Amino acid sequence: MHQLKSVLRLGKDSAVDLLDGTGKLYKCKLTTLSRQGFRLSIEECLELETSGCAVTVALPPLKSGRFEWAIEKLTELGVSKIVPLIAERSVAKIGRAGRKERAREGIPNEPASGKASRWQKIAREAAEQCERPTIPQVVKPLTLEEILSETGERMNAVKLMLSERSQAAHLKDILCNLPAPPESVLVVVGPEGGFSEREFALASESNIRFATLGKRILRSETAAICSASLIGAFWNT
């Protein structure tokens, strides 16, 4: 109500576009607007075209609001799913360790459900701001084993793990050499402390491809956003 009247400054008979978050656009007309409420009439319903390539980014929660910022930017870039990654060397911890860390820093504790709800709200608001027809799903925190187990050996799927200081191929070269656009892409981004040897071994056993973004060591959120940008440039996600 406040947004319609005071922010957007709409009046009776104004045209309003509504997105339902699943790919539908409703062309509406504002028929009633008063202090008591408003009423819209639906003039047309359109199925908006969405990308055929579903991109999932697994990213460890980060300190100082950088994870929330990454959710916002990944939403703008068309990512389909964002997975908070529980990595062995994460600086920002999830769960009990995270509560102890927040207590030391004088930050109020927050239930896991509240955190997940806030993350999804950030994705929803970012989708609204950039007029994206779908809202990415921010799922519960998962370990690398759980993420790789979920993706499994899906047909026409590409699994990538970003690895700095390695002889891996550059991400753009991997994308260029794919025979056809994949149905889904998983990008796993490491924490501030990097992946452990055990996590690298797990990835190798799962036939995941290692990729680099160049010679510079990027922050986790920068690497996630850069990857999503490159993939979007190739397949217009």
Side-chain angles (χ1 to χ4, degrees), residues 25 39 45 73 78 92 98 100 109 112 146 175 188 190-191 213 218:
L25 169 67
R39 187 183 298 273
C45 177
K73 301 311 168 189
K100 291 179 180 178
N109 287 324
E146 292 169 328
L175 299 178
V188 182
L213 292 171
L218 306 179

Side-chain angles (χ1 to χ4, degrees), residues 1-12 14-16 30 33:
M1 181 68 179
H2 170 74
Q3 187 170 7
L4 288 175
K5 192 171 183 180
S6 303
V7 179
L8 298 176
R9 299 184 182 278
L10 299 180
K12 189 174 180 297
S14 293
V16 179
L30 187 60
L33 180 63

Side-chain angles (χ1 to χ4, degrees), residues 12 36-37 39 48 55 60 102 119 123 130 144 151 154 171 173 179-180 189 202 219 224-225:
K12 189 174 180 297
Q36 286 70 42
R39 187 183 298 273
L48 298 182
V55 181
R102 292 170 69 86
W119 289 341
C130 68
L144 181 60
T151 54
R154 295 178 185 171
L171 177 58
D173 295 325
V189 182
L202 278 170
R219 283 183 179 269
I225 292 165

Side-chain angles (χ1 to χ4, degrees), residues 17-26 48 127-128 131-134:
D17 290 344
L18 297 180
L19 295 167
D20 68 355
T22 66
K24 289 189 175 71
L25 169 67
Y26 296 90
L48 298 182
E128 178 184 344
E131 299 184 2
R132 177 177 168 175
T134 57

Side-chain angles (χ1 to χ4, degrees), residues 3 20 27 215 226:
Q3 187 170 7
D20 68 355
K27 308 288 288 186
K215 61 183 180 181
C226 181

Side-chain angles (χ1 to χ4, degrees), residues 80-101:
S80 303
K81 184 188 293 186
I82 300 167
V83 184
L85 170 64
I86 304 173
E88 292 181 6
R89 295 178 178 172
S90 292
V91 175
K93 301 297 183 182
I94 302 174
R96 182 170 299 175
R99 289 196 293 272
K100 291 179 180 178
E101 180 182 76

